[in-house]
Structure formats: C-alpha cells, structure tokens
Amino acid sequence: MNSDKMKSGVERAPHRSLLKAMGYTNEEIRKPLIGIVNSQNDIVPGHIHLDTIVEAVKKGVLMSGGTPAEFPSIAVCDGLAMGHKGMHYSLVSRELIADSIETMALAHGFDALVMVPNCDKVVPGMLMAAARVNIPTVFISGGAMLSIEKDGEYLDLSSVFEAVGAYKAGLIDEAEVYSCEDSACPTCGSCSGMFTANSMNCLTEAIGMGLPGNGTIPAVYADRVRLAKLAGIQVMEMFEKDIKPRDIMTPAAFKNALTVDMALGCSTNTMLHLPAIAYEAGVELDLNMANEISNKTPNLCKLSPAGPHHVQDLYFAGGVQAVMKELNKIGLINTNLPTVTGGTVEENLSRASNKNPEIIRAIDNPYSTSGGIAVLFGNIAPNGCVVKRSAVDSAMLTHTGPARVFDSEDDAIAAIYASNIVAGDVVVIRYEGPKGGPGMREMLAPTAALAGMGLDKKVALITDGRFSGATRGAAIGHVSPEAAEGGTIGLVNEGDTIFIDIMANIIELKVDEETLAKRREIFVAKEPKIKTGYVARYAKLVTSASTGAVLK
C-alpha cells in the first residue's frame, strides 16, 4: 500500500503516534487509507449539503475495509461571484483546487481518493488533481438543484438574471423580480439547468470517473446518498484492482466525453475544462477535435438554457447513460473502456434505457444533426472561439452587424441597462480573458439582460472572456488570442462590421489587413485590472483559453 511508506515499520512509529493522537486504532492504521475530498462550505448552495454525501461515502469505505480520512477543498459559487470583483477569482480557483489536492494526497500517502465536488471549477479542478496524482479515485458529486413550477414555468437561476433585464426594460415590475427570486433556487444543489456545474458532473460520468447517476440524481433525493455509499464501496474495488485515473481518462474516453458534451448541449466552459483535464492526463485535446466531433454528433437534449427541461427531467428520462446508449446506436461511443464501476462502458450501458424520448431525443429524431457546441475561427479569433449553438435562435445563426466595443464587462452592462444597445449590434467585450481579466470572468449579467429585454434574438455578443452555462443567445466567448496578448479583438473599433456564421464555424472582422496592420503598430494592451496577490501571479503564468487556460 502507498500509505505503508508513512505508517509501517519501527521507523514510522512517530507517524503512527500522530495518527493515534487523532484517535486512530492500530486496526484502522493497518487498513488502506482513503482520502475523502470534501468541498463543503456554508456559502455555496451546491456545497452546503456535502457533509451528508461525505458521511455516506465514509460508510461505504468502512463497509469495504478501508479507513476514510476527510480533508477539505475550497469552492467558489459563480452565481454569487458574478458581476463584481469576486468573479476574477472563479476560474483561477480551479488551479488552487488541483494544487491543494495534489499537496494533501501526496503529503499524506493516501492509497485512494473519493472526490466530492459539485460546482463549476471544483469538478474540473478535482479531475485535474485525479489525473495528476493518479491513485485510484472515484467521483461522487453533490447533485443538481430542483426546478419547481411557478405560474406554468419551471424556473432556474438564469430566470432571475433575465428578470433583472426585463425589469430594466420596463417589462416587469420590482415585485415580479422578487417573486422570481424567491422561487428560482428552491433547494440545495448545483443550479438546475445544463449549466457548467451539471455539464461537468455529467461529463465526469461520461468519461468513466463517476458512477452512473453521478451527473443527474438531484441533490435532495435519497438516491444521491445511496450513490455516495456505493462510491465509497467502489473506491475500494478500484484500489484492490489498482485501476487508476489515467487508466480511465484515455484519449478514447475524452472523445466519449466530447461526444456526450455535444449531444447534451453542455456549457461552453467545457471547452476550457476538458482540455485542461486532458493536459493533466497527458492527452492532447484541441478545439479542432471539438468541431470534428460536433459535426457528426446529433444534439439530443435541450435543457435550460437551450430549452424548457432541467436536470431532474434528464434523470427521470434515464440520465447520461441513456444518452450514451442512443449515441451508441450509430457507433459514436467507444464502449470497450474501463470505468469506476469496475466494468466497461458497454456493461454499464446494458442497464440503461431511454424512458422519455421528449427529453432525450431518439438518435433518428435529433434536434439537429450536429452538436450543441461550435468552435468558430476567423481573423478576429485565429485560435478559435466558442458558442453554445444549441442555445442560439435560428435567426442568429448568421449575423452581420456593427461592433459596439467595451473594455470591460461592467461598461457593457451599463450600456445594455441604459438601452444603448439596439437590434443588429455586435457587442464586443474585451480585456476579460485569462490574462487580461485577469481570471476570465464569466458573464451572465449582460447576456441575461439582453435576453430579458428581448434582444437575445437580435444582438450578438463576443468576448475574450467567457459565459455562464446559463447563457443563451449568440454569445461567443473564449476569443483567442485575447486582447491582453495582442489579439485582433483588441484592434476592433466602434462601428467595425463583424460577420458571424455559426453553422459554417466562421467569425470575421470585416476590416482589411492593411488597416489592421496600422492599428497594430500603435496598439498598446491595457494592464490587468488586478496587480497584486494570487490573481496577479496567475495572470503571469496562464495560457490561452484555446488551450484550456492551464498554467505553464
């Protein structure tokens, strides 16, 4: 056992003495030491209940002959961090999470790990750590928040953001905003749509690191607690069989995850996180691969923000495994791959079924023959940019309009709220990338404001920053290179024409090369908004969004 290096032999008597100081018995010390990574806190709705999940995991470990030892992980709530300085710290927390788990796992000689994440950066941060540490690991997320019906509509967090936009446009009154606020987030759990947290929890299952049900069982269901116990049991099997994360997170597994990503219509943030996880696993994954897979993968689900359904509906319809089974009907899933169930993808799918073709479309009746995410290329984004194609109205799949240029999210929101953005415009928000932000702020407020004002079908928005998974409309993020690195997005002038063709994967600034060359000669990038502390150090080390914004 790996932990024997810390606890076995006469020479390790001091170490055992320290373990006994915490009440560990000789019998417990002799057993495999299983780290339980708990991201619980009292400020994130997706994490407030995770102590219940962790206690269930511990019971599973104990039932199977292991000794559980819990340690913490931080977790940032993107919703609470949105729209102020806090959002600079969201994406960057992913690296802190990965680094801190690596530190704890290797410093204390754990034999295996159970990761208990739930929200946006925590899931990928833990997956990155799992690949890096590479000891047997099982994931069990905290599960999705429920969506409840109010006045004939099922609400979620994006409903509240859009209500603010509707209020600013004079379409609803203040009392209606507060009523929406009281109903949109009725339980603990990760926000109820196919936003980034639930996207990543589903893809954890698709890649083989989470048990079937990990991505879709609601947070408040007893099924979630039972799955947590199974995760504790299953990590012991992974330990006994010496099945490690890199045995599971292979190139073929990442292709499976990307395929499921496209079928589900996941958050555009997956195009940041999957490459970053792959990087830690020693797997090459680029944006061109995403387009190749998207072009041949039917979009089978339209969960919020792309449609009216929520994760609870996907759960009752058969979950991620049912989606994979549909995809496998046309050979899009590699089924001969190991998973944390101890069986192969094929064995897992044998127990799945599509229980509701209205939620999970049959493979011969998709919403579209191509996937939910598209990567666009052109002179304004030579290294690519990303859009959630499944959440774009058909009228905006092609668009040409004048650029309305803003050097921060805050300036853009002020213009939107002041009704200075009109139908046909292309809002350009720059200096919000990984370096320029710093931290690549997630922007739901401007996109939700446009949607609430009824402009999401008439206005495009492009940025070197990123969007919430709750964003809908022609919101194109991750423009690379970013403005802070001298990218063309930094050269755009007010009124320049921008052409977008999402189905053709094209985005172009309609300015001739001679003019751009003259602008480039006098271009000076703006300095990052934060110049001290962790975020300033992050800005110096972070790479482009096109490579997952990893640190090198």
Side-chain angles (χ1 to χ4, degrees):
M1 291 188 295
N2 192 47
S3 60
D4 283 344
K5 299 173 185 175
M6 180 181 72
K7 64 187 186 182
S8 293
V10 173
E11 297 84 0
R12 294 295 182 255
H15 301 67
R16 291 192 298 276
S17 180
L18 290 168
L19 291 170
K20 289 177 178 179
M22 295 179 283
Y24 287 99
T25 65
N26 283 328
E27 183 181 5
E28 287 176 301
I29 293 170
R30 281 194 294 268
K31 291 177 179 180
L33 187 61
I34 312 300
I36 316 295
V37 188
N38 185 2
S39 56
Q40 191 276 339
N41 61 45
D42 291 346
I43 192 62
V44 182
H47 293 246
I48 194 166
H49 66 301
L50 292 188
D51 280 352
T52 300
I53 304 298
V54 167
E55 286 307 308
V57 171
K58 287 179 179 177
K59 289 177 181 177
V61 170
L62 289 167
M63 282 190 284
S64 298
T67 297
E70 176 187 340
F71 64 88
S73 165
I74 63 168
V76 170
C77 176
D78 278 18
L80 291 172
M82 195 85 62
H84 59 91
K85 186 177 180 179
M87 185 45 75
H88 292 286
Y89 291 84
S90 172
L91 179 61
V92 307
S93 72
R94 187 186 71 180
E95 316 308 316
L96 283 176
I97 291 162
D99 290 351
S100 64
I101 293 170
E102 174 193 3
T103 300
M104 288 295 290
L106 297 182
H108 301 104
F110 286 107
D111 296 303
L113 298 170
V114 179
M115 305 285 194
V116 188
N118 212 23
C119 289
D120 299 37
K121 309 310 158 306
V122 190
V123 182
M126 288 191 180
L127 282 165
M128 291 164 68
R132 195 184 296 174
V133 175
N134 202 35
I135 59 176
T137 303
V138 174
F139 276 68
I140 170 65
S141 77
M145 184 183 292
L146 292 178
S147 171
I148 61 172
E149 186 178 10
K150 182 178 184 297
D151 300 328
E153 181 184 6
Y154 282 84
L155 302 181
D156 54 48
L157 180 64
S158 64
S159 306
V160 194
F161 275 95
E162 292 184 13
V164 174
Y167 169 75
K168 294 287 186 179
L171 301 177
I172 63 174
D173 62 22
E174 193 171 336
E176 290 176 280
V177 176
Y178 293 147
S179 177
C180 182
E181 166 191 324
D182 287 342
S183 304
C185 298
T187 70
C188 63
S190 48
C191 293
S192 54
M194 190 51 71
F195 310 154
T196 307
N198 291 324
S199 294
M200 291 309 304
N201 284 325
C202 286
L203 296 186
T204 300
E205 183 178 335
I207 208 170
M209 290 297 294
L211 297 173
N214 178 74
T216 57
I217 299 173
V220 295
Y221 284 14
D223 265 0
R224 177 62 60 178
V225 176
R226 289 197 292 270
L227 192 72
K229 290 178 182 176
L230 288 175
I233 292 168
Q234 206 55 41
V235 76
M236 294 306 297
E237 182 178 336
M238 296 296 98
F239 167 73
E240 288 161 10
K241 292 181 176 178
D242 197 30
I243 298 174
K244 299 183 177 73
R246 290 195 186 191
D247 298 326
I248 294 171
M249 290 195 281
T250 61
F254 278 99
K255 287 183 180 178
N256 278 356
L258 272 173
T259 301
V260 173
D261 190 345
M262 301 307 167
L264 286 174
C266 289
S267 165
T268 52
N269 284 314
T270 61
M271 293 297 100
L272 279 175
H273 299 321
L274 285 176
I277 299 161
Y279 172 77
E280 297 291 351
V283 174
E284 186 175 348
L285 192 161
D286 62 30
L287 295 182
N288 286 306
M289 185 186 300
N291 266 350
E292 290 169 14
I293 290 174
S294 183
N295 289 339
K296 63 182 180 183
T297 304
N299 179 216
L300 302 182
C301 300
K302 278 191 179 289
L303 278 68
S304 178
H309 306 132
H310 290 82
V311 172
Q312 66 208 36
D313 302 309
L314 180 60
Y315 166 64
F316 285 118
V320 173
Q321 300 297 309
V323 174
M324 294 177 75
K325 194 162 189 174
E326 287 291 342
L327 294 167
N328 194 43
K329 290 177 181 178
I330 56 173
L332 293 178
I333 298 294
N334 188 324
T335 59
N336 190 31
L337 300 178
T339 73
V340 293
T341 65
T344 63
V345 172
E346 183 176 17
E347 291 169 318
N348 297 343
L349 295 186
S350 69
R351 296 182 285 273
S353 63
N354 184 354
K355 301 171 185 176
N356 190 340
E358 291 185 15
I359 306 299
I360 304 170
R361 289 280 187 94
I363 198 68
D364 57 359
N365 183 38
Y367 285 104
S368 65
T369 56
S370 54
I373 290 177
V375 180
L376 315 184
F377 294 91
N379 64 346
I380 198 171
N383 294 341
C385 55
V386 182
V387 62
K388 188 168 184 171
R389 178 163 51 194
S390 60
V392 179
D393 187 82
S394 58
M396 289 298 294
L397 290 172
T398 59
H399 181 75
T400 302
R404 305 297 309 279
V405 182
F406 303 94
D407 286 345
S408 72
E409 176 194 11
D410 312 85
D411 292 344
I413 292 173
I416 293 167
Y417 284 164
S419 300
N420 291 334
I421 303 301
V422 299
D425 284 349
V426 178
V427 176
V428 177
I429 304 177
R430 59 196 183 188
Y431 294 104
E432 293 290 4
K435 286 184 180 295
M440 204 178 184
R441 286 198 289 180
E442 185 174 274
M443 292 177 275
L444 179 56
T447 58
L450 291 171
M453 294 174 174
L455 290 173
D456 58 304
K457 300 177 183 178
K458 301 172 184 176
V459 170
L461 195 156
I462 71 170
T463 180
D464 53 10
R466 61 194 180 91
F467 295 111
S468 164
T471 289
R472 61 186 173 99
I476 301 166
H478 310 191
V479 170
S480 301
E482 60 176 293
E485 288 192 305
T488 305
I489 191 171
L491 306 180
V492 181
N493 284 351
E494 184 84 7
D496 285 348
T497 298
I498 294 176
F499 168 72
I500 300 164
D501 188 337
I502 291 172
M503 298 308 294
N505 304 106
I506 293 171
I507 183 166
E508 288 284 342
L509 175 64
K510 293 297 183 181
V511 175
D512 63 81
E513 284 302 317
E514 184 179 351
T515 302
L516 288 177
K518 290 178 180 177
R519 292 181 187 178
R520 193 168 280 110
E521 286 177 3
I522 60 172
F523 173 78
V524 178
K526 294 181 180 294
E527 292 186 0
K529 302 174 185 71
I530 299 176
K531 300 179 178 63
T532 59
Y534 169 57
V535 173
R537 297 197 303 275
Y538 172 92
K540 293 177 181 178
L541 297 173
V542 70
T543 62
S544 169
S546 63
T547 55
V550 297
L551 301 186
K552 291 186 179 179

